[in-house]
């Protein structure tokens, strides 16, 4: 596992509450999907504002932030959509999968039940997203390794067998957060 340092600035980071329509195609969009409580909102906050909120509340519907990053030789203003993990919001959130260039499918390494439903999330994503979407399976909360319920190798093998990228992260201590988002965005344009 690679641990990235957070020595960079967070230029042009903005947070928004989503309107009724999904993102426009002018900026690439990435969706964060997975069960409620896995840390999607804090991954978004860490990537776009370098913040972590210990008292983060459940997302209602969809929220998004933007961040401009260098992809190859181009500056790209990415829109990152934080979708609610609760069942009652699925009809709303699945509309945001269309047009997304990438998805981070997040589970909590300390709660096996959040990993057990990854296949359902993946099916829902593929039912609504473009065929070219780049998907990364993200095991979050590595700072709680002593409470781990999902073995790294199990999740890694699932990702490999399903053509997904894989990384483990911690929004709390910033482990691999930059790597996850940048890999998704670079993967979309074939930049390494």
């Amino acid at each position: 596992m690679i641990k990235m340092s957070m020595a960079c600035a967070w230029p042009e980071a903005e947070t928004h509450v989503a309107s009724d329509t999904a993102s426009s195609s002018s900026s690439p969009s990435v969706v964060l999907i997975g069960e409620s409580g896995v840390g999607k909102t804090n991954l978004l906050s860490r990537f776009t504002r370098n913040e972590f909120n210990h008292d983060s509340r459940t997302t209602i519907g969809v929220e998004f932030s933007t961040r401009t990053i260098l992809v190859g030789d181009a500056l790209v203003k990415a829109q990152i959509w934080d979708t609610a993990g609760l069942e009652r919001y699925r009809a709303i959130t699945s509309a945001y999968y269309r047009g997304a260039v990438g998805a981070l499918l997040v589970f909590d390494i300390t709660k096996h039940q959040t990993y057990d439903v990854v296949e359902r999330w993946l099916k829902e994503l593929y039912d609504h997203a473009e065929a070219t979407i780049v998907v990364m399976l993200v095991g979050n909360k590595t700072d709680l390794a002593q409470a781990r319920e999902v073995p790294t190798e199990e999740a890694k093998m699932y990702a490999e067998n399903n053509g997904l990228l894989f990384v483990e992260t911690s929004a709390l201590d910033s482990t691999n957060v930059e790597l996850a988002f940048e890999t998704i965005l670079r993967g979309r344009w074939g930049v390494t």
Side-chain angles (χ1 to χ4, degrees):
M1 184 171 13
I2 300 169
K3 184 165 183 163
M4 307 263 315
S5 66
M6 300 303 292
C8 61
W10 279 258
E12 291 192 45
E14 306 167 27
T15 302
H16 309 276
V17 175
S19 65
D20 297 19
T21 59
S23 67
S24 69
S25 59
S26 60
S27 297
S29 64
V30 174
V31 292
L32 288 161
I33 64 173
E35 291 294 289
S36 182
V38 298
K40 299 181 301 289
T41 298
N42 272 318
L43 284 170
L44 175 67
S45 294
R46 179 62 75 189
F47 180 67
T48 59
R49 296 184 308 277
N50 195 25
E51 295 175 358
F52 183 90
N53 182 356
H54 288 279
D55 301 316
S56 182
R57 288 186 236 139
T58 300
T59 301
I60 297 173
V62 179
E63 294 183 10
F64 79 97
S65 289
T66 62
R67 177 159 163 210
T68 302
I69 67 166
L70 189 63
V71 177
D73 294 330
L75 279 177
V76 174
K77 185 174 184 178
Q79 295 180 357
I80 300 101
W81 296 84
D82 176 16
T83 65
L86 296 173
E87 182 71 39
R88 65 179 156 221
Y89 299 115
R90 293 280 159 70
I92 298 167
T93 59
S94 63
Y96 290 83
Y97 302 166
R98 285 189 294 276
V101 300
L104 298 180
L105 173 48
V106 185
F107 68 93
D108 179 344
I109 68 160
T110 70
K111 294 187 174 131
H112 208 285
Q113 69 268 26
T114 66
Y115 174 75
D116 291 338
V117 294
V118 159
E119 192 166 334
R120 179 180 52 97
W121 281 102
L122 199 54
K123 180 186 179 332
E124 181 177 303
L125 177 67
Y126 287 146
D127 284 349
H128 298 283
E130 304 294 326
T132 57
I133 194 167
V134 178
V135 183
M136 176 180 281
L137 182 62
V138 178
N140 194 31
K141 303 188 182 182
T142 58
D143 51 285
L144 300 174
Q146 71 283 2
R148 178 185 287 275
E149 291 183 4
V150 181
T152 301
E153 285 306 311
E154 179 182 342
K156 188 175 183 180
M157 184 172 295
Y158 179 87
E160 287 175 7
N161 290 341
N162 288 278
L164 311 176
L165 301 169
F166 175 74
V167 71
E168 289 190 332
T169 61
S170 169
L172 177 66
D173 67 19
S174 302
T175 302
N176 291 337
V177 174
E178 292 280 315
L179 178 67
F181 284 98
E182 290 181 4
T183 300
I184 280 290
L185 289 164
R186 287 189 169 98
R188 170 61 176 94
W189 285 278
V191 177
T192 57

